[in-house]
């Protein structure tokens, strides 16, 4: 079949096959600078903005993407070639697929090539919001103390050379300094990462950094800049070559980096914006005074639930989250973890029925068309589990609640980090900034059962809790002896 490359000049041909932006992209102005353009930003925030553009022509709210790292070059190159257009492929559980070309991004800058342009763009008076999906690691805090990590060599360098920023903190500071010097109001910093109190964390880290570089500027930021907390949600698996082929074969459109996602979408945001915001409520965003209970619910159920399936799933040899859900032992284990361990330590949220929320998570995880790989779910577990799972365990230890399910997952994670292969002797794809340290600690387990727990930045002082240690030792022994994670899960669910 003849195909059209996805780019602005081809929109008129493509639009007869697949919905394309109908707003005038030439007229789009950048109101938002977004740092960290991956699949998730493109399925979530950019999609909300696209909807506003389609329905309300809010042309002041285009998005300029920014990549801080060399690893962002591929996204930059592809999007630039495609005039920042990409296709969002929404996969419904019943097999329906709805694809749409998204036009909300109107620029992209790669900070490693043009750092000054990034500063100027953030500092431009039209920019009202700088939003972030920089992952847990991007916030540069010490996981044990929660303090800003001044040991990071990039941070040390940019503290000395404020006009040559490297990390997000260097860029935000340089841009805010410029705005202040020009008498322009600051932008709002909108964190969209899966971190509880993400806005508060962004604020604390930025202020720690600026205080070292420019105390006077820090005072201004403290008074003037808003950092709303947010809860973001839309399952967005890694794009596969099959998605690219699908668009080409079905619609004759060549898009080199489309995004796949589920139909569900949610964004809960605190309404604290110093310098204006798009009318996102018109696109379904919930504005609330306090996002804490929502983010806690989501992180402790959805994100933890993912890990509870993914880690043993990887060991057993399931390749996707929906494969795990098709396995009744895994599905029941995950639900029981949610019911018996996560829910008892959650706060009630007015207007939310937790049972229904959990039912909906089961349905979403089971969506057979999302094919979310367990390797994506297990990636960066060293940053995820201390936020998603270990707090639930600690709270249950404190109130004598059930710890069985979470303990099995931590023991399974040790085995996973140690062995590097699954139970079919196939290699595991382990993606983790701490991969080497995790393996190093885990490999001594058979001699010293608690070896893996001796990583305080991840486990805190869990290895000193008698009740936990007893359970953990039992489970570790069984995992290594039996080499059958599913059997152990089956025994737990009774
Ligand atoms: C997943 C998330 O990687 C993970 O831990 O749980 O990426 C999850 O898919 C998103 O938070 C969904 O909103």
């Amino acid at each position: 079949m003849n195909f059209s490359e996805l780019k602005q000049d081809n929109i008129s041909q493509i639009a007869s096959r697949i919905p394309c932006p109908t707003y005038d992209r030439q007229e789009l102005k950048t109101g938002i600078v977004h740092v960290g353009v991956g699949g998730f930003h493109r399925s979530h925030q950019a999609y909300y903005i696209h909807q506003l553009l389609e329905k309300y022509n809010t042309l002041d709210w285009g998005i300029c993407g920014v990549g801080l790292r060399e690893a962002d070059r591929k996204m930059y190159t592809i999007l630039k070639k495609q005039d920042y257009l990409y296709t969002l492929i929404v996969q419904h559980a019943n097999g329906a697929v709805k694809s749409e070309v998204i036009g909300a991004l109107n620029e992209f800058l790669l900070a490693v090539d043009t750092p000054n342009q990034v500063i100027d763009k953030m500092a431009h008076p039209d920019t009202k919001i700088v939003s972030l999906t920089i992952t847990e690691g991007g916030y540069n805090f010490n996981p044990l103390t929660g303090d800003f990590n001044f040991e990071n060599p990039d941070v040390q360098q940019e503290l000395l050379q404020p006009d040559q920023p490297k990390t997000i903190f260097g860029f935000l500071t340089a841009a805010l300094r410029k705005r202040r010097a020009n008498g322009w109001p600051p932008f709002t910093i909108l964190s969209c990462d899966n971190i509880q109190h993400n806005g508060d964390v962004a604020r604390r880290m930025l202020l720690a950094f600026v205080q070292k570089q420019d105390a006077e500027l820090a005072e201004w930021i403290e008074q003037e800049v808003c950092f709303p907390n947010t809860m973001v949600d839309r399952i967005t698996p890694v794009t596969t070559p099959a998605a690219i082929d699908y668009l080409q074969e079905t619609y004759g459109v060549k898009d080199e980096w489309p995004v796949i996602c589920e139909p569900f979408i949610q964004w809960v945001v605190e309404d604290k914006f110093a310098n204006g915001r798009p009318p996102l409520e018109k696109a379904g965003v919930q504005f609330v005074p306090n996002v804490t209970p929502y983010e806690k619910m989501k992180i402790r159920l959805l994100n933890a639930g993912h890990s509870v399936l993914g880690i043993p799933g990887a060991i057993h040899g399931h390749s996707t989250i929906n494969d795990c859900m098709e396995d009744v032992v895994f599905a029941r284990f995950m639900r029981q973890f949610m019911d018996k361990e996560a829910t008892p330590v959650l706060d009630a949220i007015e207007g939310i029925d937790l049972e229904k929320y959990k039912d909906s998570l089961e349905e979403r995880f089971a969506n057979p068309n999302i094919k979310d790989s367990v390797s994506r779910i297990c990636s960066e577990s060293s940053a995820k589990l201390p936020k998603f799972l270990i707090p639930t365990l600690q709270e249950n230890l404190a109130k004598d609640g059930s710890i069985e399910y979470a303990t099995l997952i931590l023991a399974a994670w040790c085995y996973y980090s140690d062995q590097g292969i699954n139970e079919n002797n196939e290699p595991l794809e382990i993606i983790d900034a701490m991969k080497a340290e995790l393996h190093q600690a885990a490999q001594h387990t058979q001699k010293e059962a608690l070896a893996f727990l001796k990583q305080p930045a991840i486990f805190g002082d869990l290895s000193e809790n008698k009740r936990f240690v007893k359970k953990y030792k039992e489970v570790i022994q069984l995992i290594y002896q039996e080499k059958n994670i599913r059997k152990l899960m089956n025994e737990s669910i009774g």
Side-chain angles (χ1 to χ4, degrees):
M1 178 203 260
N2 277 343
F3 60 83
S4 319
E5 284 178 10
L6 181 58
K7 56 183 184 178
Q8 189 65 36
D9 283 349
N10 291 344
I11 284 282
S12 50
Q13 300 158 31
I14 296 173
S16 59
R17 300 173 235 157
I18 195 167
C20 285
T22 58
Y23 42 92
D24 184 355
R25 293 185 73 236
Q26 299 291 343
E27 294 296 313
L28 253 184
K29 264 194 341 203
T30 291
I32 300 172
V33 171
H34 183 81
V35 183
V37 179
F40 182 70
H41 169 71
R42 296 192 295 151
S43 74
H44 190 260
Q45 184 181 335
Y47 173 70
Y48 277 113
I49 295 291
H50 172 80
Q51 281 181 297
L52 287 184
L53 285 163
E54 276 298 327
K55 289 195 201 130
Y56 305 101
N57 213 32
T58 51
L59 292 165
D60 289 346
W61 293 107
I63 304 173
C64 171
V66 168
L68 292 184
R69 306 158 312 148
E70 187 54 41
D72 296 311
R73 186 173 298 279
K74 183 176 170 203
M75 183 67 81
Y76 164 77
T77 311
I78 291 177
L79 284 180
K80 192 162 177 217
K81 190 160 94 184
Q82 298 185 171
D83 300 319
Y84 316 106
L85 294 165
Y86 63 91
T87 318
L88 187 64
I89 307 172
V90 181
Q91 301 270 15
H92 292 252
N94 64 4
V97 187
K98 296 226 166 78
S99 304
E100 183 175 3
V101 173
I102 307 298
L105 280 154
N106 61 328
E107 292 179 82
F108 200 120
L109 298 169
L110 198 56
V112 278
D113 287 353
T114 54
N116 291 330
Q117 282 187 33
V118 172
I119 298 172
D120 290 349
K121 183 48 73 179
M122 288 180 176
H124 194 286
D126 286 349
T127 299
K128 312 278 198 252
I129 294 172
V130 174
S131 54
L132 316 174
T133 45
I134 53 175
T135 76
E136 293 84 351
Y139 291 83
N140 193 51
F141 52 78
N142 174 324
L144 189 57
T145 60
D147 293 338
F148 191 78
N149 174 18
F150 284 103
E151 257 135 63
N152 178 338
D154 286 343
V155 167
Q156 289 182 349
Q157 197 185 322
E158 61 191 354
L159 277 174
L160 297 173
Q161 293 169 310
D163 56 343
Q164 287 174 38
K166 298 246 174 295
T167 73
I168 181 63
F169 301 103
F171 279 99
L172 291 173
T173 306
L176 287 166
R177 178 180 294 115
K178 196 160 178 187
R179 292 181 83 109
R180 181 172 179 237
N182 283 306
W184 297 328
F187 43 72
T188 294
I189 298 178
L190 186 64
S191 166
C192 300
D193 282 291
N194 281 318
I195 298 184
Q196 235 179 301
H197 317 308
N198 52 12
D200 299 344
V201 172
R203 178 173 195 270
R204 210 156 33 79
M205 295 305 120
L206 180 64
L207 286 175
F209 176 86
V210 188
Q211 262 144 14
K212 276 250 163 116
Q213 204 188 57
D214 183 342
E216 221 189 297
L217 180 65
E219 209 172 293
W220 183 74
I221 294 177
E222 198 163 3
Q223 277 161 18
E224 304 291 331
V225 180
C226 290
F227 299 78
N229 291 305
T230 69
M231 181 268 247
V232 293
D233 194 4
R234 186 169 222 185
I235 294 174
T236 309
V238 179
T239 303
T240 54
I244 298 173
D245 295 346
Y246 166 80
L247 290 176
Q248 198 154 323
E249 281 153 22
T250 317
Y251 302 104
V253 172
K254 183 163 176 234
D255 178 344
E256 289 183 37
W257 206 335
V259 187
I260 300 167
C261 66
E262 63 172 340
F264 182 91
I265 186 165
Q266 190 176 19
W267 199 3
V268 189
V269 186
E270 287 172 2
D271 205 355
K272 293 192 297 195
F273 290 75
N275 192 5
R277 64 161 174 83
L280 285 161
E281 65 283 359
K282 293 188 177 164
V285 175
Q286 292 161 258
F287 284 96
V288 299
N290 177 14
V291 92
T292 304
Y294 295 90
E295 50 186 13
K296 189 167 171 191
M297 168 184 84
K298 192 243 164 177
I299 285 171
R300 301 280 190 98
L301 291 169
L302 185 148
N303 298 106
H306 258 159
S307 298
V308 164
L309 292 170
I311 291 173
I315 297 174
H316 180 69
H318 287 317
S319 51
T320 63
I321 290 297
N322 54 287
D323 288 345
C324 295
M325 289 300 287
E326 269 175 38
D327 182 333
V328 60
V329 171
F330 276 69
R332 284 188 61 199
F333 184 91
M334 199 270 304
R335 181 64 192 232
Q336 291 194 12
F337 157 76
M338 287 186 176
D339 290 344
K340 294 186 182 168
E341 297 186 1
T343 309
V345 292
L346 279 181
D347 318 310
I349 310 179
E350 221 188 280
I352 293 207
D353 178 337
L354 276 181
E355 293 310 306
K356 286 210 182 108
Y357 182 71
K358 288 184 279 188
D359 292 347
S360 77
L361 292 182
E362 285 183 326
E363 275 171 38
R364 292 170 61 196
F365 289 175
N367 183 333
N369 303 311
I370 289 294
K371 301 187 177 51
D372 199 4
S373 65
V374 295
S375 63
R376 179 185 88 86
I377 295 303
C378 298
S379 69
E380 306 307 335
S381 285
S382 62
K384 291 173 181 173
L385 297 189
K387 302 277 175 252
F388 301 166
L389 184 71
I390 297 176
T392 292
L393 176 67
Q394 280 160 332
E395 287 167 34
N396 278 311
L397 284 168
K399 55 178 278 235
D400 222 13
S402 164
I403 60 164
E404 188 168 346
Y405 298 82
T407 305
L408 192 142
I409 296 306
L410 294 185
W413 185 35
C414 167
Y415 183 83
Y416 162 100
S417 308
D418 178 9
Q419 305 282 301
I421 49 170
N422 69 18
E423 287 170 353
N424 310 320
N425 290 325
E426 293 153 346
L428 291 169
E429 189 195 4
I430 301 183
I431 306 161
D432 201 302
M434 291 186 66
K435 181 175 172 183
E437 290 92 328
L438 294 167
H439 176 70
Q440 176 71 21
Q443 68 181 348
H444 301 293
T445 303
Q446 295 196 60
K447 277 188 254 126
E448 154 57 27
L450 302 185
F452 190 58
L453 301 179
K454 303 273 162 67
Q455 302 184 86
I458 296 175
F459 297 104
D461 56 6
L462 265 184
S463 63
E464 280 152 38
N465 183 297
K466 286 211 182 83
R467 182 169 159 238
F468 170 70
V469 163
K470 183 165 175 279
K471 185 84 214 153
Y472 181 82
K473 278 186 169 162
E474 268 169 41
V475 184
I476 275 286
Q477 205 188 351
L478 289 171
I479 292 186
Y480 276 81
Q481 236 169 40
E482 308 238 354
K483 297 199 180 302
N484 188 344
I485 194 78
R486 188 172 183 278
K487 177 166 171 245
L488 298 181
M489 294 166 85
N490 198 20
E491 281 160 13
S492 299
I493 59 183

